Amino acid sequence: MVHCVAIDEDLLVLDKPAGLLCVPGRGEDKQDCLSARAQALWPGALVVHRLDMATSGLVLMARSPAVQRQLGLAFEQRAVHKRYVAIVHGLLRPASEDPAAWQTIDAPIAADWPRRPLRIIDPAGKPSQTRWRVLAHDPPGWPGCTRVELEPVTGRTHQLRVHLAHLGHPILGDALYAGEPIVARAPRLLLHAEQLGLAHPRHGDWRGFESPAAF
């Protein structure tokens, strides 16, 4: 099953569930994925970007190689607006006096080679920036936690997860970057790609899409 948020002759916007790969992995047990499901319904659909398997939310696909190139370039040029929501461990406090102000995490990320596919904060890593702001402390059902809004400026692997763990506030349910008690607090990683916006590759007008988080 694939939940299609929007479709036209050029692109697809799909809502990926948590626990589903975006593209096939290695092994027969990892062939079921969002791209395979989409291609079964819309032959020729092409991957433009990915979400972690554990992350849910909006994924953009192209319906032709030409559009795939256009959209890929838009991602490279940071012309695609992406916004996520997460619930993190602890009460995250902004440095600003304005609790609604955006803050920035600027911490380079590198591969943790002995523990691949994990990533680490490393001065020799690739420059990585994430904008964040607090939406609520103690959200219903999650006492002692913070609901945050996130905007990745760069697009490193596991960036949001690594940056929040670096702040000392890992995402609930994060089996890679949180300790067992924090993992056990949620049935899944509480990270969701909630908003996606871009200039349409054919018409040039701005299109915005939204998928409210289930948590």
Side-chain angles (χ1 to χ4, degrees), residues 56-73:
S56 58
L58 296 174
V59 175
L60 182 66
M61 295 188 72
R63 303 195 68 186
S64 72
V67 172
Q68 184 190 40
R69 287 191 294 272
Q70 280 184 267
L71 296 177
L73 183 60

Side-chain angles (χ1 to χ4, degrees), residues 77-207:
Q77 296 176 340
R78 302 179 186 175
V80 178
H81 170 77
K82 296 173 287 180
R83 188 169 288 181
Y84 295 70
V85 65
I87 295 179
V88 304
H89 175 70
L91 300 179
L92 181 55
R93 305 287 184 185
S96 168
E97 293 182 1
D98 179 2
W102 286 94
Q103 313 289 309
T104 299
I105 305 167
D106 189 351
I109 294 175
D112 187 352
W113 293 107
R115 300 189 301 155
R116 292 180 69 189
L118 271 64
R119 298 297 193 269
I120 55 173
I121 301 298
D122 186 334
K126 294 182 179 179
S128 307
Q129 297 86 33
T130 298
R131 299 176 73 236
W132 65 272
R133 65 179 176 181
V134 170
L135 294 177
H137 288 129
D138 299 308
W142 311 103
C145 298
T146 306
R147 187 180 185 91
V148 295
E149 199 166 26
L150 303 161
E151 286 187 353
V153 179
T154 52
R156 312 302 177 202
T157 300
H158 297 172
Q159 177 176 311
L160 302 179
R161 300 164 72 174
V162 173
H163 272 172
L164 287 164
H166 174 64
L167 287 186
H169 295 274
I171 301 172
L172 296 193
D174 192 343
L176 294 181
Y177 300 101
E180 183 54 39
I182 298 172
V183 175
R185 290 200 64 182
R188 49 155 292 195
L189 177 73
L190 298 188
L191 176 63
H192 179 78
E194 195 167 57
Q195 295 179 33
L196 187 67
L198 69 154
H200 192 279
R202 182 183 298 266
H203 312 294
D205 56 321
W206 187 259
R207 302 287 178 89

